[in-house]
Amino acid sequence: MSLSKSSITLLSLVFLSQAFSFAVTLLPNLLAGTGLFSPVQASLVLALASLMSGFWQPLMGRWLDEGRFLIAFSIIATAYASGIFAFVLNSTSTLAIVGGALALVVAMTTLRTLTALAIVGRFQGEERAHMAGIRYLVSNFALGVAAAIAFQWLHTHRTLLLSVDLLTTLILGSGLTWFLVREHRKQKDSTVSSAGSLVVLREAFRLHGLPIAGICLITIGFMAQVTYLPLQLTKRGLPAVEWNALVLIVNTVTIVAGMRFLRRLTQKLSDGQRGALGAGLIAIGLALVPLVSSPAALVGVTLIWTLGEMIFIPWEQVKLYEFFGHAQPGLASGAITFVMTLCQVLAPLFSTILLMVPEALASLLLLLLPLGGFALYRWGAQLPGIHRAKGLEKEAA
């Protein structure tokens, strides 16, 4: 499936922005580095900021459906610049630092909704799955580049890199805005009213709340290991920095080299089989994480859960858009950003629990969470059909 010129351009802008994304990616380090917050306090600030920014993304999505793209870009530009300056100026005010962190998270969450709409939300079916997979590939490769740049130069060129981060974020935001404004002018669809949007969202969560929760459990599992693995390695006295860098390399190389091949390999599988295979590989890979004791074992484990993510994440995006299928693309993109933000907030809590229990129990929990999540998805996915059947029976009676 070939990409259009506009999709290639947008994905290139995403890569450029995320390859120089330091402020949000390293926000816990920036907060802790001010000397005003302990690691626990920094995590709490980020969790509250994520919740606050996530809750209003459905509203942002509705604004995008109405064509208010310049408002979204203004929020991104103003908030991101304010957040960057709070850290570049080395403010000693706790209020200024917290405000800067909140501004950065609000800007990045809004940018995610804008990106999701432009790259994934405007497509349907297999094409949407393909674009979700390509976006996942580009994002991971770019974050690997960002990690390498940050490791090499952030301590010595902090102000310069944060300034470049701001510039590339504005370039991405303006590119997405220009593209969406142009696409919106071609459309003739009317916009659902505010009350209608609330009804659509309420019905989506009522009918699909359980399968959404199941998908979230799987997502929380692989998000949690990002925090859990380095801390667990440190706890065991293993070289956390070097081994975590090895994980990043294996993850990036596997995604870049294998995404296209894996898509061809799984394209004949049914929808349910792809979801089950992805969740199963994630479960097996994560369950082995607490037990690794050598670099070779870590490489093998990382390969397993990375393959699972490569299958699961495109499938996940398609499913979430299907659950909000009666919503317009912007509203659906905002709702999905909200759901992913909740996962992002809950993942560190789960990793904290994993660090508090014995390694064998942590392994069992990491196995059961994705498997239980997929079981909940399968069970919950059958309920809307049952409810509709009962409604038809009542009407017939």
Side-chain angles (χ1 to χ4, degrees), residues 269-303:
L269 297 178
S270 68
D271 190 57
Q273 288 173 333
R274 277 199 296 268
L277 179 59
L281 288 173
I282 290 171
I284 294 170
L286 295 185
L288 295 173
V289 165
L291 308 178
V292 296
S293 56
S294 69
L298 186 63
V299 168
V301 167
T302 303
L303 185 61

Side-chain angles (χ1 to χ4, degrees), residues 37 59 86 110 172 225 242 246 288 344 372-373:
F37 307 92
L59 174 61
T110 305
L172 173 60
Q225 72 85 26
E242 292 82 356
L246 180 61
L288 295 173
Q344 190 177 351

